[in-house]
Amino acid sequence: MYENVLLPYDGSDGAAEVLHHASELAHWADATIQLLYVADTTRDSVTVVDGHTVDALVRRGEDVVDEAAKTLDTLGVPYGTDVVQGNPAPTIVEYAERYDQDLIVMPTHGREGISRYLIGSVSEKVVRLSPVPVLTVRMQPDETLVFPYENVLVPTDGSAAATHAAEHLVELAAALDATVHVLSVVDDTALGLDVRSTGSGTESEEAATDAVETVVSAAEARGVTKTVRHIEHGTPVEVILDSIESNDVHAVGMGTTGRRGTDRILLGSVAEKTVRSAPVPVMTVADPN
């Protein structure tokens, strides 16, 4: 599925685990990893860009990718390296498009709230902007990194974006011979109290069932032999996190939708919140429409 995997890499604490995870995926896919360091020339500290300052940023980047390359040499994964200058998120997205990358693997600190580190926001911007699938991996102690993925969770709300993303995820699951857990959440908080006794609640549950069946049918058509249906009530992100834990999920796949640009809506921000908080890698796939 993937011939070229782009790994933006800054050498932060925890990034080595992401490097190993990306290398496992690349080894399985017989893919080449492209290590990319973006020298951030937009920071306040380099507002006045003179040659010495930029040279220092670039040298730092060269040291970072050289160190990562030594690890990939040890792991036997083919790779390339590059150091470029610019605004990190759009530069990463443009690089992926220009050089025909099939997947972007983004390390992210992924903390909730204002305490998130800069790279967390960079990852979220890449998720919003990128037409190329993005696999975000949090650099947190609770992160579970297992490959090959044996259980893949595919949340769906029945939208075109979710269905498009599901097609990509079930193809990956089929190649891995993984079990696909298809989840649709009836958001009780959006419907009000006692929704199950109302007509709108019944309609919402029927819509959730239809959404799940659509993905299950697509999975079976792709050759997935193990599927599990989940219709749950609650707040989407909380249900997704509970499902990850209760089903020993190794990866989550979701769709993003909206206009290309920073105003892209991420399935009502559910995908964005999942990227921040899920203790397993999250793959986001943009709706091409």
Side-chain angles (χ1 to χ4, degrees), residues 40-88:
D40 186 358
T41 53
T42 67
R43 295 183 309 187
D44 291 341
S45 59
V46 291
T47 299
V48 180
V49 179
D50 59 49
H52 296 298
T53 303
V54 173
D55 286 348
L57 289 172
V58 171
R59 281 199 302 273
R60 159 68 178 160
E62 290 171 346
D63 290 343
V64 167
V65 297
D66 285 349
E67 195 64 30
K70 293 176 184 177
T71 300
L72 293 180
D73 277 329
T74 302
L75 297 172
V77 177
Y79 65 87
T81 64
D82 206 352
V83 178
V84 298
Q85 300 169 23
N87 186 340

Side-chain angles (χ1 to χ4, degrees), residues 174-261:
L176 290 168
D177 193 29
T179 298
V180 174
H181 294 262
V182 187
L183 168 68
S184 193
V185 181
V186 179
D187 189 350
D188 293 345
T189 59
L191 295 170
L193 298 175
D194 299 323
V195 294
R196 292 185 223 194
S197 61
T198 67
S200 61
T202 302
E203 290 174 7
S204 296
E205 192 146 343
E206 289 175 352
T209 301
D210 289 343
V212 167
E213 290 303 326
T214 297
V215 176
V216 169
S217 295
E220 291 173 346
R222 288 282 188 178
V224 174
T225 59
K226 295 166 285 188
T227 58
V228 183
R229 297 164 172 82
H230 302 272
I231 309 292
E232 304 289 348
H233 288 253
T235 303
V237 176
E238 292 178 0
V239 173
I240 289 168
L241 296 177
D242 288 344
S243 297
I244 290 170
E245 182 177 0
S246 59
N247 296 289
D248 193 24
V249 166
H250 296 150
V252 180
M254 306 184 73
T256 66
T257 187
R259 295 182 178 181
R260 182 162 180 191

